[in-house]
Amino acid sequence: MQPRDLSDHVAYEAGRGIEEVARELDRDPSEFVKLASNENPHGPSPAAAVALREAASSVSSYPKAAHADLTAAVADRWSVADEQVWLANGGDGAIDYLSRATLEPDDTVLVPTPGFAYYGMSARFHHGDVREYALSKAEEFEQTAAGVLESYDGDRIVYLTSPHNPSGSTIALPEIETIAEETDDDTLVVVDEAYGEFADRDSAIALIEGRDGFDARDDVAVLRTFSKAYGLAGVRLGYAVVPDSWADAYARVNTPFAASELACRAGLAALDDEEHVERTVETARESREYMREEIDAHVWESEGNFVLVDVGDAETVAETMQRRGVIVRDCTSFGLPGCIRITCGTDEETERAVETCNEVLADLETETEADAGGDGDASIDPEVSDT
Ligand SMILES: *Cc1c(COP(=O)(O)O)cnc(C)c1O
């Protein structure tokens, strides 16, 4: 026998890991830095690492108290009720819970393109279909209510990513409010704030709760994760904050013990370690500014812990940088074959990334000129040939 027809489904393409690349190129892993998956260059919160070690001896029990404690701590952090916090196996797990709670067969979800692949994947798992709205490279990937609503057609979920992966653009809360207001009553607007800590923006939780002059709404949910600013990508922990009228759906849709004992203990410790998050955010801000100033190609303004760079031929540039020890994300799978995404690293990593990127761009330009007979014809200058 066979699984069901999965021909519409695509495999998630993760950023490449150091071990994987080193093995493939038959080199030592220590020669590489990985700036491909928006991970935390400072590692996990040290307090979380201690909590993980301490929790090791109690993993024979199901995580009951820890799950309840973390839910309460997250609820407290956002001043919402415990029932509004849906812990999950990563932000991706929270996306699945929202799909389970909303989608009927053939319902559609509206997602950004370029954008995060898992929104569509999750919808398809739940027998839904995917529709897209475009964010334009030429318009700095600007996100507006008008731009989203133009493509809206009664979709059950509208996904917004703020800051947006891979561009780093954001959407203002009044624009989100307009989208929620103008869409049908049973359309849920999901605001993915996986990179929210890095942005100079308030959380869209203000729309759910009716704070800061907004009316409270029952059609907005917010997604957060411990994978990025908290440095816990490996434990898989994230959550959705939902309207209070949605509270009892969680018990009906969640996989029992949605977050593990280790994840919950690590999450509790990380939430308390403000210093680690502040340091992480500060490093990302400096790194993205530095890359914007120093890279010899267009770098979009970013509110995340990464920048998108217009390099012309992403595959070649990413591959060449990788051979020179810096692993970055080729954005072809996001639908941006001209761009690479570089994660903000430590000062040292960022400097190495900039240096390597500039060397590769310069070498490719020289090669292109040589191919054309070395006359430096402006029409084949890679900086101007890509649109
Ligand atoms: C990283 C990321 C997530 C969540 O990742 P998890 O590791 O599953 O928590 C969600 N949305 C976007 C846009 C991301 O980049």
Side-chain angles (χ1 to χ4, degrees), residues 90-92 116 119 161 165 192 194-195 223 225 227-228 236-237:
D92 296 342
F116 189 59
Y119 308 142
T161 320
N165 178 8
D192 180 348
Y195 302 97
L223 210 74
T225 177
S227 294
K228 312 285 161 56
R236 314 302 302 126
L237 180 63

Side-chain angles (χ1 to χ4, degrees), residues 67-88 94 97 205 222 224 226 238-244 246-247 250-251 254:
H67 204 278
D69 289 351
L70 179 60
T71 300
V74 171
D76 189 51
R77 153 94 182 72
W78 295 109
S79 306
V80 298
D82 291 9
E83 295 72 27
Q84 290 175 262
V85 175
W86 291 12
L87 294 185
Y97 292 161
I205 291 171
V222 168
R224 288 261 171 169
F226 284 82
Y239 59 91
V241 175
V242 303
D244 59 3
W246 286 59
Y250 183 61
N254 88 86

Side-chain angles (χ1 to χ4, degrees), residues 137 311-316 330-340 386:
K137 193 176 167 186
V311 294
D313 177 352
E315 198 182 332
T316 305
D330 167 2
C331 289
T332 304
S333 71
F334 282 93
L336 292 171
C339 300
I340 59 169
D386 181 59

Side-chain angles (χ1 to χ4, degrees), residues 178-208:
T178 303
I179 293 168
E181 198 66 50
E182 300 285 318
T183 48
D184 297 347
D185 286 347
D186 64 355
T187 292
L188 178 70
V189 178
V190 176
V191 188
D192 180 348
E193 297 179 352
Y195 302 97
E197 290 83 1
F198 300 101
D200 222 352
R201 290 250 184 225
D202 291 331
S203 170
I205 291 171
L207 297 178
I208 305 174

Side-chain angles (χ1 to χ4, degrees), residues 316-337:
T316 305
V317 171
E319 228 167 69
T320 314
M321 285 184 71
Q322 186 168 292
R323 264 188 273 120
R324 298 182 190 184
V326 181
I327 308 170
V328 298
R329 182 73 192 258
D330 167 2
C331 289
T332 304
S333 71
F334 282 93
L336 292 171

